[in-house]
């Protein structure tokens, strides 16, 4: 399936000049190779002997947190995603800034990240049970899986054995796929991490959970210096409702001005997100851009039909496993942090 998706990407874009095409192919193949190596270095049941209760501890704490606040499912899934896309799945997103360095969590793209306190509670429990054994990077991978499952989505075995990184820089957050990006930028950002166009279509479905602040979509509602008119790709009636939540472009930083990414279903992992996108009601520009590519558009419409939910759930577990292996540290690399927000 991945090969077919990659082939579709190659044939549906405007053909680049020969040398550029070769360069892009090399980048994609190298990134894919790195992701594949990461998957091979990890293993299911990694802590069976060293910390047999690890996965149950994570599950118990995640369950308690989401029962108390169902919207944390989206936050925990997003933490894992934002971690993996910036210098790999090494828990660098959890590190605090220091006087001489602004960390990832304090960058503009990560300003609305939440759930750090829940991760800290899980880590404290694991340090009590098995000191210095379970990495913060593995905790993020497990909590993301459990968050999806607890939101009535699929579950899957998580390969473990990641180590934690020792560095974190806000400057590196340019590696995150842009919320305001067009389909070309999104495909490029995913390819740089060894993920293909199908992974993009599949992982975008994570937006079935959670909300987005006005600053993430105000550019689609109002004219601006960069765009003379509101985004014509946005359904007019939906746009009118969004303007009620976000009365002017200047309200973009209003923390209370948030809209559900999947209206009416933002705490349940299902396929209704794709139905909204198919009706031109994807909230973010990156959501709407899925209709601008032959493969992603076809995938959106197929899932939106409601006839392949089981198949989509399977696709999601496969793509999540690929993402969770991006740039992992293993063996003697990195460290096992005692506290997830600071290096040892």
């Amino acid at each position: 399936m991945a090969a077919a998706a990659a082939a579709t990407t190659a044939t549906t874009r405007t053909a680049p000049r020969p040398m550029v095409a070769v360069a892009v192919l090399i980048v994609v193949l190298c990134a894919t190779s790195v992701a594949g190596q990461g998957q091979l270095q990890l293993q299911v049941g990694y802590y069976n002997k060293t910390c047999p209760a690890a996965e149950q501890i994570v599950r118990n704490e995640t369950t308690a947190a989401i029962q108390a606040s169902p919207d944390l499912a989206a936050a925990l899934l997003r933490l894992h995603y934002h971690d993996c896309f910036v210098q790999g799945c090494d828990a660098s997103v959890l590190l605090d800034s220091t006087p001489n360095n602004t960390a990832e969590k304090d960058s503009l793209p990560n300003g609305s990240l939440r759930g750090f306190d829940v991760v800290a509670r899980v880590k404290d429990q694991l340090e009590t049970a098995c000191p210095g054994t379970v990495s913060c990077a593995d905790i993020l991978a497990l909590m993301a899986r459990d968050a999806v499952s607890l939101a009535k989505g699929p579950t899957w075995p998580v390969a473990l054995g990641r180590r934690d990184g020792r560095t974190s820089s806000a400057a590196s957050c340019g590696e995150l796929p842009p919320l305001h990006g067009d389909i070309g930028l999104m495909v490029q950002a995913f390819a740089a991490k060894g993920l293909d166009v199908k992974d993009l279509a599949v992982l975008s479905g994570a937006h079935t959970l959670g909300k987005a602040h006005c600053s993430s979509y105000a550019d689609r509602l109002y004219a601006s210096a960069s765009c003379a008119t509101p985004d014509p790709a946005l359904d007019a009636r939906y746009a009118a409702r969004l303007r009620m939540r976000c009365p002017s472009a200047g309200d973009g930083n209003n923390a209370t001005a948030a809209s559900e990414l999947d209206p009416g279903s933002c705490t349940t992992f299902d396929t209704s997100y794709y139905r909204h996108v198919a009706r031109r009601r994807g909230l973010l520009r990156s959501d709407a851009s899925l209709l601008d590519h032959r493969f992603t558009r076809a995938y959106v419409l197929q899932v939106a039909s409601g006839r392949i939910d089981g198949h989509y759930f399977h696709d999601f577990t496969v793509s999540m496993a690929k993402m969770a292996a991006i740039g992992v540290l293993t063996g003697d690399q990195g460290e096992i942090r005692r506290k997830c927000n600071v290096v040892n």
Side-chain angles (χ1 to χ4, degrees):
M1 290 183 182
T8 304
T9 305
T11 57
T12 54
R13 295 186 212 164
T14 302
R17 288 178 294 178
M19 289 303 293
V20 174
V22 170
V24 171
L25 179 60
I26 290 172
V27 169
V28 173
L29 288 177
C30 288
T32 303
S33 175
V34 169
Q37 290 172 7
Q39 287 175 308
L40 290 175
Q41 292 170 331
L42 305 176
Q43 64 184 69
V44 174
Y46 180 82
Y47 297 110
N48 283 354
K49 293 182 179 180
T50 57
C51 191
E55 294 197 36
Q56 191 59 54
I57 290 171
V58 175
R59 177 77 178 190
N60 291 346
E61 290 295 320
T62 306
T63 300
I66 291 176
Q67 285 178 343
S69 181
D71 62 347
L72 273 175
L76 295 174
L77 179 56
R78 190 167 176 240
L79 270 179
H80 183 42
Y81 172 87
H82 279 238
D83 179 45
C84 290
F85 264 86
V86 181
Q87 73 179 45
C89 307
D90 65 347
S92 54
V93 75
L94 302 178
L95 287 172
D96 289 340
S97 294
T98 65
N100 298 318
N101 177 66
T102 302
E104 292 171 32
K105 65 164 60 172
D106 293 319
S107 69
L108 183 61
N110 288 336
S112 60
L113 290 181
R114 298 185 302 121
F116 298 105
D117 55 334
V118 184
V119 176
R121 288 201 298 272
V122 172
K123 180 60 172 174
D124 288 344
Q125 291 280 346
L126 287 167
E127 285 299 302
T128 298
C130 317
T133 303
V134 182
S135 70
C136 300
D138 277 346
I139 291 172
L140 287 180
L142 288 169
M143 293 185 80
R145 185 271 309 276
D146 291 344
V148 170
S149 173
L150 290 164
K152 301 183 180 179
T155 188
W156 60 94
V158 176
L160 302 168
R162 298 165 191 78
R163 306 253 304 169
D164 299 323
R166 296 189 177 98
T167 62
S168 179
S169 172
S172 300
C173 290
E175 299 174 29
L176 286 166
L179 293 178
H180 306 292
D182 60 24
I183 191 63
L185 289 174
M186 296 298 291
V187 170
Q188 184 179 13
F190 271 64
K193 302 300 176 182
L195 302 176
D196 58 39
V197 70
K198 181 172 183 179
D199 297 314
L200 168 58
V202 171
L203 293 176
S204 294
H207 283 175
T208 185
L209 297 175
K211 300 178 181 180
H213 292 301
C214 190
S215 56
S216 300
Y217 62 83
D219 66 310
R220 305 189 69 201
L221 304 178
Y222 304 99
S224 65
S226 59
C227 184
T229 61
D231 188 354
L234 190 62
D235 175 77
R237 291 185 179 181
Y238 181 51
R241 291 206 299 271
L242 290 175
R243 289 189 188 97
M244 296 177 67
R245 300 284 302 165
C246 183
S248 70
D251 285 344
N253 293 320
N254 185 347
T256 63
S259 295
E260 296 179 353
L261 288 158
D262 184 0
S265 183
C266 73
T267 59
T268 301
F269 193 97
D270 55 28
T271 58
S272 58
Y273 160 83
Y274 290 97
R275 288 186 278 283
H276 290 296
V277 173
R279 297 170 61 195
R280 296 192 302 118
R281 294 185 175 188
L283 182 61
L284 306 177
R285 193 174 294 274
S286 57
D287 297 324
S289 76
L290 295 176
L291 297 178
D292 297 332
H293 183 287
R294 190 171 71 180
F295 180 88
T296 56
R297 177 183 177 85
Y299 192 85
V300 165
L301 296 179
Q302 187 180 31
V303 180
S305 71
R307 295 192 294 267
I308 63 161
D309 285 9
H311 182 77
Y312 169 71
F313 279 12
H314 170 74
D315 284 349
F316 188 80
T317 67
V318 171
S319 291
M320 280 295 291
K322 288 178 65 177
M323 187 191 79
I326 295 173
V328 295
L329 303 176
T330 58
D332 295 329
Q333 299 172 317
E335 63 184 14
I336 305 296
R337 290 187 218 137
R338 291 187 290 273
K339 294 283 186 180
C340 288
N341 62 318
V342 292
V343 297
N344 292 341

